[in-house]
Amino acid sequence: MSDTNNEGKMSAEEKAEILRKYKETGDKALRNNAVMAYMNIVRYAAMSTRNMYAKYADSEDIINEATIALMSAIDSFDPNKNVKFETYASIKVRGAIIDYIRRQDIVPRNVRRFAREYDAAYSELFSRLDREPTDDELAEYLKLPKAKFDSCMAKSAAAQTLSFEDLVINNNFDLSDDVSEDGVWSAEASLYREEKMKYLAQAIASLKEKERLVITLYYYEKLKFSDIGKVLEVSESRICQIHAQAVAKMKNYMSEYLGK
């Protein structure tokens, strides 16, 4: 408890000083202090991904993976380069959590198959119709009764989330591809990052109002699907469907930008 209190009272300058001293001396005690000083990065990353792992992994396991990633970030970070440690570490920690979730293979094979088929159907119909397809059109294309389609959409929420996280984090879109192993953020990479952020903003703007709201509440406000359902006064399964549809649209938009 005292470590948490000390962390809360520590200023950004004090944290940076601990990190600087560790990088200069290699003192393991200072590294431990740096880990404790920046544990808020671990807790925030674990909280922001809880919808993905809550049913499949213990929060303690997630915290352990994230803490290991934080320690690695501390060791690999160069404080003399033009990038904030909080940015660098957040990318590494969140990426480690996503990798851990993926290794657990939390999504059943049939749900993964539906998610892939849904993505392919959405892309095909979008191209054919020159507009976003309706749920009825997608269900018909997939040869599924509407009730079955709705059920599969709800179950595929986790797969869609991980799929989009994979696009954002590991597929040339996340900020981490702008930072080299030694923490350098090049001028060219910064311009590329700005361009990518612009396309993400456009992808979000292309969504319907309710879809934008779900994406905002989930990814930015860090609300659970059940809490978003209460806000919008609909069921949690309906929020899962809206989220999956929004993610499919954003993936389609971003895939065009990424040349896939």
Side-chain angles (χ1 to χ4, degrees):
M1 181 65 69
S2 58
D3 289 334
T4 301
N5 290 338
N6 289 337
E7 177 196 337
K9 295 177 182 178
M10 195 177 296
S11 68
E13 290 75 15
E14 289 172 326
K15 294 179 182 180
E17 180 65 12
I18 291 174
L19 184 60
R20 184 188 67 78
K21 288 182 178 179
Y22 166 64
K23 300 301 290 188
E24 287 181 352
T25 66
D27 187 330
K28 298 302 182 183
L30 284 173
R31 186 183 69 173
N32 293 340
N33 290 340
V35 171
M36 295 308 303
Y38 288 103
M39 276 300 290
N40 62 305
I41 293 175
V42 168
R43 288 193 289 271
Y44 182 79
M47 179 188 69
S48 67
T49 55
R50 65 187 183 277
N51 273 338
M52 286 184 282
Y53 70 77
K55 296 180 181 179
Y56 311 98
D58 293 332
S59 59
E60 183 177 349
D61 293 333
I62 297 296
I63 293 294
N64 287 341
E65 289 290 326
T67 302
I68 291 172
L70 175 62
M71 294 173 65
S72 176
I74 288 172
D75 284 335
S76 61
F77 178 70
D78 185 345
N80 296 314
K81 302 302 181 180
N82 188 28
V83 59
K84 292 180 63 175
F85 174 73
E86 289 84 347
T87 301
Y88 181 79
S90 294
I91 291 167
K92 297 296 186 183
V93 168
R94 188 174 178 86
I97 291 176
I98 298 303
D99 286 343
Y100 178 79
I101 295 172
R102 190 180 296 109
R103 290 199 303 271
Q104 307 314 301
D105 195 21
I106 64 174
V107 183
R109 189 176 304 172
N110 63 324
V111 177
R112 287 186 182 277
R113 184 171 60 252
F114 172 82
R116 291 194 299 268
E117 291 173 351
Y118 177 90
D119 283 347
Y122 184 92
S123 297
E124 170 63 25
L125 290 176
F126 187 91
S127 176
R128 184 188 302 176
L129 302 172
D130 198 27
R131 61 170 172 79
E132 64 181 64
T134 66
D135 285 354
D136 289 337
E137 289 168 338
L138 286 163
E140 181 179 356
Y141 183 91
L142 293 170
K143 297 181 174 59
L144 292 174
K146 186 58 166 57
K148 178 69 173 178
F149 174 84
D150 290 341
S151 174
C152 289
M153 283 291 290
K155 291 177 182 178
S156 70
Q160 289 283 3
T161 300
L162 283 176
S163 181
F164 185 65
E165 290 281 352
D166 184 60
L167 174 70
V168 171
I169 289 180
N170 295 321
N171 208 354
N172 297 325
F173 189 72
D174 184 65
L175 307 185
S176 59
D177 64 359
D178 298 339
V179 183
S180 65
E181 291 184 359
D182 62 358
V184 176
W185 214 327
S186 69
E188 293 82 1
S190 294
L191 291 174
Y192 185 44
R193 172 181 176 270
E194 291 178 6
E195 182 182 14
K196 290 186 294 183
M197 294 304 293
K198 179 186 72 174
Y199 275 90
L200 178 58
Q202 290 176 357
I204 295 174
S206 70
L207 301 174
K208 294 179 180 178
E209 181 178 357
K210 187 169 290 187
E211 293 168 341
R212 285 199 305 271
L213 183 56
V214 169
I215 291 296
T216 299
L217 293 176
Y218 181 76
Y219 287 102
Y220 295 94
E221 300 300 328
K222 311 303 180 184
L223 294 186
K224 298 179 180 179
F225 286 142
S226 57
D227 293 332
I228 298 174
K230 293 175 183 177
V231 171
L232 298 184
E233 298 183 342
V234 298
S235 67
E236 182 178 352
S237 62
R238 178 55 184 154
I239 294 300
C240 290
Q241 293 173 20
I242 295 173
H243 173 269
Q245 291 167 347
V247 165
K249 293 177 184 178
M250 293 174 69
K251 283 182 61 184
N252 185 68
Y253 191 101
M254 292 307 304
S255 293
E256 290 183 2
Y257 162 63
L258 294 172
K260 294 191 176 298

